[in-house]
Amino acid sequence: MSEPFDPARWRPASFLPEEDARDPALLFVVAVLCFLACLTALGVIAGNRAAQDWASQLTGEATVIVRARGGETPDAAAARAAEALAGVPGVTEARALEKEKAYALIKPWLGDVADLDDLPVPRLVAVGLDRKAPATAAALDKALKGHGLDAVVDDHSVWIKDIRKAAGVVRWTAATLLLLIAGAAAAVIAFATRAGLAARRDVVEVLHLTGAEDAQIASLFELRFARVAAISGAAGAAAAAALGAILRLMGGGQGITPALPIAWIDLLAVLPCPVLAALVAAVAARVTARRLIKAL
Amino acid sequence: MSRNAIDAAGDHSADEILRFTGVSMRYGRGPEVLSDVSLSLPRGSFHFVTGPSGAGKSSLLKLIYLAARPSGGSVRLFGEDVAAMPAHELPRTRRRIGVVFQDLLLLDHLSAFDNTALPLRIAGHKPSEYRNDVAELLTWVGLGARMEALPPTLAGGEKQRLAIARAVVNRPEILLADEPTGNVDHEMALRIYRLFVELNRLGTTIIIATHDQDLVARSARPVLHLDKGRLRPLPPQGPMAPEAAG
């Protein structure tokens, strides 16, 4: 025989049936959206890091192409250029590359040539730049001209510009994607709220006629869908973090590919997902519910 | 009738809880379900609303519990013109009215206790303030042993009493009941009627819409008789029977 009801142990039940909050389809859709959002965020972070690394490497280097003049040998011209460049403020190192390295660089275009010494192959000088205060291409050019050298300075600025531009495009694309995903999540929640209100019109009607304010009724749906979104968000974030971890483990320190170097700390980016998902869901449910209740 | 005309009518007694002045009502573009209804009910009164099906009884009650708006005329509730009431005041006004709906509108997923406590929760009371009162009330209406039961498991009379308990738990100033004895036997109808009489003694204004002519006749209470949407007051039908007096 069951124990008699004890009012002192009574806890208020939810006005909305609990089983409504366990809609598997809704949980799945929101979780997938959160998963995609987290993957996008991880991709942006990794892509940004790759772009920064590349830009940083290119910023710290310059290449000078030296052509011999008059009776001077290419090696002598390169050595003189390296010496001239070493004295420029903002240069940490200037090193003439051996002719073998210069030949190796042009080999793909010329093929196996018996005697490259007969060709006027220019020499290269690799210049290391101070990353904090790098010498400008103009300063290097001035120093070379000052020493009467026929040389061209490539400070990689064209490549750096392209890399930064590409990184910017990736960031904007990701931001647009995140907004679209948030919009899709809000639309799904709004749809679910509308369906929930329609399915529980009896509850809404009773609450309304018993003196509940619109905000009170809307808050029931707001809290419910915020909770659903938080649970789905946590599931989606966990899945994305797991995938990120697998990619990190597969690729060692560089991630799965040097183009997308994921770091362990990047995985923390998924943490705000459940909160953000809950916020988006709460706002969508609140706006939808209040509009529909007003129309009752 | 315009608001000026109502003001001109003057005598809004301090004891008047409800006044209809030339009220008409229609659903959408349909025909009028209430036409030129005027009435004034004093606080603490007990009235039956009678009439054939479709006469407008439920519509009259809907206007009182603010589930509908009149298409013409004026409704004054608790001394205030409902049409001039700001939207945010409507929920608070509804909390002063208890309603036993014709189809009861019990929430099937909530226990009898939760259903009864619903108006108190909506009004923002803490469970510690009312849980004993709810238990006492359920015992008073004869549901002391069914507090945890879900409505689908209750018998017809138990559901009626549960709906009544929910309607009165917040000590409303007006209690409206739409066919509260429609689905119960004669004995249960008298028990429910006695509940209303008791509440009325405690000061609640009671308005009951019913088809139960026998109950109306036995009660000797004033009758508001509706016919094709028009109000026709009838005198009490007869002396109160001893069993109905409670």
Side-chain angles (χ1 to χ4, degrees), chain A residues 215-283:
Chain A
Q216 270 180 302
I217 302 172
S219 73
L220 297 176
F221 291 90
E222 191 181 323
L223 289 172
R224 165 143 300 177
F225 288 113
R227 204 174 62 179
V228 167
I231 293 167
S232 299
L243 184 60
I246 290 169
L247 293 178
R248 176 70 177 73
L249 288 170
M250 282 170 68
Q254 286 291 299
I256 193 164
T257 159
L260 212 59
I262 293 174
W264 289 114
I265 198 165
D266 296 351
L267 303 184
L268 295 177
V270 307
L271 285 180
C273 181
V275 177
L276 291 175
L279 276 175
V280 169
V283 171

Side-chain angles (χ1 to χ4, degrees), chain B residues 48-237:
Chain B
F48 282 103
V49 181
T50 62
S53 294
K57 301 189 295 294
S58 295
S59 298
L60 182 84
L61 296 192
K62 277 185 181 176
L63 288 174
I64 302 173
Y65 64 77
L66 307 176
R69 287 179 176 274
S71 46
S74 153
V75 176
R76 290 186 76 87
L77 194 56
F78 306 116
E80 287 185 63
D81 185 356
V82 169
M85 220 177 259
H88 68 268
E89 280 295 327
L90 295 176
R92 285 181 203 166
T93 307
R94 287 191 187 104
R95 290 175 199 169
R96 299 169 71 181
I97 303 166
V99 187
V100 182
F101 300 98
Q102 186 170 14
D103 41 7
L104 304 182
L105 294 184
L106 297 170
L107 299 183
D108 286 349
H109 64 284
L110 295 182
S111 67
F113 197 95
D114 274 296
N115 263 293
T116 307
L118 190 137
L120 296 163
R121 287 176 65 185
I122 287 173
H125 296 291
K126 293 177 185 168
S128 58
E129 295 170 359
Y130 60 75
R131 50 163 64 104
N132 289 332
D133 293 343
V134 171
E136 272 179 33
L137 177 61
L138 282 170
T139 304
W140 188 59
V141 297
L143 293 174
R146 307 301 313 272
M147 290 190 204
E148 285 181 292
L150 296 175
T153 67
L154 297 175
E158 289 176 323
K159 285 182 187 175
Q160 292 278 12
R161 282 178 279 150
L162 176 56
I164 291 165
R166 184 182 65 188
V168 304
V169 73
N170 208 15
R171 298 186 183 177
E173 292 165 62
I174 299 177
L175 177 68
L176 306 173
D178 197 352
E179 301 288 358
T181 58
N183 297 315
V184 295
D185 58 32
H186 182 67
E187 180 59 31
M188 182 57 68
L190 286 179
R191 282 182 64 183
I192 290 171
Y193 173 73
R194 287 189 198 112
L195 274 177
F196 291 142
V197 169
E198 188 61 29
L199 288 166
N200 184 236
R201 279 185 186 150
L202 295 171
T204 304
T205 304
I206 311 275
I207 303 170
I208 301 172
T210 184
H211 274 113
D212 192 341
Q213 289 299 335
D214 185 44
L215 183 68
V216 174
R218 284 164 176 266
S219 71
R221 301 286 180 172
V223 174
L224 304 167
H225 185 71
L226 279 167
D227 187 15
K228 292 176 184 168
R230 292 187 177 274
L231 193 61
R232 187 156 58 90
L234 293 175
Q237 300 294 300

Side-chain angles (χ1 to χ4, degrees), chain A residues 100-113 116 121:
Chain A
E100 288 74 19
K101 283 196 175 173
Y103 292 166
L105 286 170
I106 60 172
K107 193 176 174 182
W109 284 271
L110 297 181
D112 286 326
V113 178
L116 276 170
V121 177

Side-chain angles (χ1 to χ4, degrees), chain A residues 2-19:
Chain A
S2 61
E3 286 183 31
F5 177 70
D6 180 6
R9 290 165 62 187
W10 170 77
R11 294 284 174 276
S14 171
F15 284 141
L16 295 174
E18 283 299 329
E19 61 267 22

Side-chain angles (χ1 to χ4, degrees), chain A residues 138-183:
Chain A
L140 298 178
D141 195 48
K142 190 178 171 189
L144 291 165
K145 281 195 168 65
H147 284 78
L149 287 157
D150 178 11
V152 177
V153 176
D154 177 7
D155 64 351
H156 306 157
S157 57
V158 173
W159 303 108
I160 292 169
K161 201 174 160 190
D162 282 353
I163 287 170
R164 290 200 170 129
K165 197 173 168 185
V169 169
V170 168
R171 273 197 295 272
W172 279 108
T173 306
T176 309
L177 270 176
L178 286 173
L179 276 177
L180 280 173
I181 291 170

Side-chain angles (χ1 to χ4, degrees), chain A residues 59-62 85 90-95 125-131 135:
Chain A
T59 305
E61 292 172 359
L85 292 167
V91 172
T92 56
E93 183 193 12
R95 185 169 51 85
V125 177
V127 182
L129 300 174
D130 183 347
R131 289 182 191 277

